[in-house]
Amino acid sequence: MSVATILGAANLFARLELPVERVEVATVRSQYRRLALAVHPDKCQDPRAKEAFQLLSEAFEQLSSETLQAQLLGATGRARPAPQGRGPAQADETKAHWWDTKTWEEFEERLRHRDRAEQALRRQYCGGLRARFATRKVRGQVFAAERSVEHLDRQKGLPESPLWPPESTQAARDLEEEVAKARQTEPWPGAANELLPDYQERLELNNPGLAIQRLLELMTHLRTVHLYCLFCGCTYDSANDMDRNCPGITEEEHDEAMAFGLRTSTETQVETAEETTGDLVYTAA
């Protein structure tokens, strides 16, 4: 597949050379890796390779979830048109994504890490009654992960990301300005406040499939971009340090490790979340 074909694809399925129908997640993953090898900037000399790789990766992120596939297909079974590609002026926005790497080897390692994270999360949370009872726990982990992503992204100088809490985005700030103006002419006190969304409601997170997909995206970003484990509260020195010393991807794996008295390496720098302020305080391990 050429860079031009990806840039001109009519929908997300077409970007991955997939039929416009429900596709096995394993097939999506294998297609993504095959096509990524062809257009990754480290492997492709086309000046538009970075943009094509970004669009390919966005398609993978959507289609790697059966729940999101169903939403994209809708009741008609037809895929929605693909979003328009980004121009050169927006290229730096890709720095906030786990797939944005300089070398193919680094990308492969991050993709493998994402696959491991997905398998671990689905083992813990998917399946019948367990998924329903886990909804509240997953929601809480999503909120905590979103705050951690925003904090660490800001520290690293990364731009605003869709992975940040909705209330921290420019759209939320724009809405607050509109509400402030509306208060000047509101028909009764507090009427303008009804325009503000309840950021804790997040009805989409009541769907186990969507909640787990959101948590997967957040944890992949934290663990690959920032080398940060949500449950250890640690920023690791390297990917090897994380592989050796982090008990696993899920909270359950960390609980089991604590039960056996496992400890992390002294290489690791520890971050402790201050519940009263939400700040991260760095201390030597």
Side-chain angles (χ1 to χ4, degrees):
M1 182 183 241
S2 68
V3 166
T5 304
I6 295 174
L7 295 178
N11 55 64
L12 299 179
F13 290 85
R15 289 182 192 171
L16 287 163
E17 291 186 333
L18 293 170
V20 182
E21 60 188 28
R22 293 288 291 274
V23 182
E24 292 290 334
V25 172
T27 301
V28 175
R29 187 182 297 114
S30 63
Q31 278 290 94
Y32 174 57
R33 189 189 183 286
R34 181 178 69 82
L35 296 173
L37 180 60
V39 299
H40 190 281
D42 189 33
K43 298 289 186 179
C44 179
Q45 299 302 313
D46 191 305
R48 300 170 298 169
K50 185 173 183 178
E51 183 181 0
F53 182 69
Q54 168 77 7
L55 295 176
L56 186 72
S57 299
E58 289 176 351
F60 167 70
E61 201 77 338
Q62 293 289 306
L63 300 183
S64 61
S65 163
E66 292 180 355
T67 304
L68 291 176
Q69 278 191 43
Q71 287 189 343
L72 289 169
L73 290 170
T76 64
R78 297 180 180 178
R80 299 173 186 172
Q84 294 298 311
R86 289 171 171 74
Q90 296 173 291
D92 285 344
E93 291 181 1
T94 61
K95 291 182 179 178
H97 296 292
W98 65 265
W99 58 74
D100 185 61
T101 57
K102 292 182 179 179
T103 67
W104 172 256
E105 289 73 20
E106 184 183 0
F107 167 76
E108 279 195 304
E109 175 55 36
R110 289 189 177 191
L111 181 59
R112 284 194 294 269
H113 189 97
R114 184 191 183 281
D115 289 345
R116 292 196 298 270
E118 181 176 21
Q119 292 169 12
L121 288 174
R122 295 196 184 283
R123 278 197 306 270
Q124 180 166 352
Y125 293 122
C126 285
L129 290 173
R130 190 174 190 183
R132 290 202 295 273
F133 286 125
T135 299
R136 180 176 296 181
K137 177 176 283 190
V138 175
R139 284 175 64 92
Q141 291 173 357
V142 166
F143 291 150
E146 287 174 343
R147 291 192 297 270
S148 296
V149 167
E150 179 188 4
H151 180 87
L152 294 169
D153 279 0
R154 288 184 183 278
Q155 278 193 334
K156 207 169 184 177
L158 295 176
E160 181 184 298
S161 163
L163 297 179
W164 290 12
E167 61 269 28
S168 298
T169 62
Q170 184 61 49
R173 292 190 291 274
D174 292 342
L175 181 57
E176 288 174 0
E177 289 183 9
E178 292 179 16
V179 171
K181 293 177 182 178
R183 289 196 182 106
Q184 299 173 10
T185 58
E186 59 186 354
W188 64 85
N193 292 338
E194 295 180 3
L195 300 174
L196 290 171
D198 182 354
Y199 291 113
Q200 294 299 310
E201 187 177 26
R202 304 287 291 279
L203 294 178
E204 73 279 7
L205 297 181
N206 291 336
N207 181 312
L210 293 178
I212 292 169
Q213 182 68 18
R214 177 68 171 174
L215 185 58
L216 171 63
E217 294 170 3
L218 290 161
M219 292 182 68
T220 299
H221 182 85
L222 287 170
R223 295 177 70 89
T224 59
V225 176
H226 296 297
L227 298 176
Y228 177 80
C229 173
L230 185 68
F231 303 117
C232 289
C234 297
T235 297
Y236 287 89
D237 290 341
S238 65
N240 287 336
D241 185 23
M242 175 175 276
D243 287 341
R244 286 197 306 270
N245 299 299
C246 178
I249 306 296
T250 66
E251 184 178 32
E252 189 175 70
E253 291 169 320
H254 285 74
D255 290 343
E256 290 174 356
M258 289 181 64
F260 284 101
L262 299 181
R263 300 182 62 184
T264 57
S265 166
T266 54
E267 296 175 54
T268 303
Q269 185 181 39
V270 176
E271 295 178 349
T272 304
E274 294 288 345
E275 295 182 359
T276 56
T277 64
D279 294 329
L280 295 177
V281 179
Y282 293 80
T283 59

